[in-house]
Amino acid sequence: MAELGTKDLTFIGWFGLLAPAGTPPDILDKLNAEAKAISQTPAYRERMQKIHVEVVGDSPAEFKVLIDAESEKLGALIRKIDIKVEQ
């Protein structure tokens, strides 16, 4: 990335469970609780460890902070190097 003038830019891979906008909070809470329970099982943790994935299990609010920060970082890069969509 140094050749683009962004030598200090780092990327992380992440994934998470998302729901449509407007999903009722009680449904989000239930989905989050179930996802957290699954992510804490030995079988799941072992499977993730084998593929070198760190299990975090943040709250929906914490995940939103990550998504917003990554979107801002990548948006700034897109604007800086003038990436355009080709159709």
Side-chain angles (χ1 to χ4, degrees):
M1 298 306 290
E3 62 271 11
L4 297 175
T6 56
K7 66 179 178 155
D8 295 328
L9 187 66
T10 59
F11 292 97
I12 60 169
W14 53 267
F15 62 93
L17 182 62
L18 301 171
T23 301
D26 60 318
I27 300 296
L28 293 176
D29 291 342
K30 183 172 180 150
L31 287 170
N32 186 52
E34 292 296 325
K36 276 188 166 186
I38 291 167
S39 73
Q40 298 304 314
T41 63
Y44 182 84
R45 288 193 163 271
E46 181 179 318
R47 187 174 287 163
M48 294 299 105
Q49 185 178 22
K50 284 182 181 178
I51 59 172
H52 307 284
V53 171
E54 177 186 359
V55 178
V56 176
D58 290 336
S59 70
E62 291 167 320
F63 190 39
K64 182 181 183 321
V65 169
L66 171 69
I67 292 170
D68 290 348
E70 290 292 296
S71 295
E72 178 56 36
K73 180 172 65 174
L74 293 173
L77 176 62
I78 288 167
R79 289 185 294 278
K80 181 175 184 170
I81 62 177
D82 199 29
I83 293 176
K84 303 287 184 205
V85 175
E86 293 183 12
Q87 296 186 22

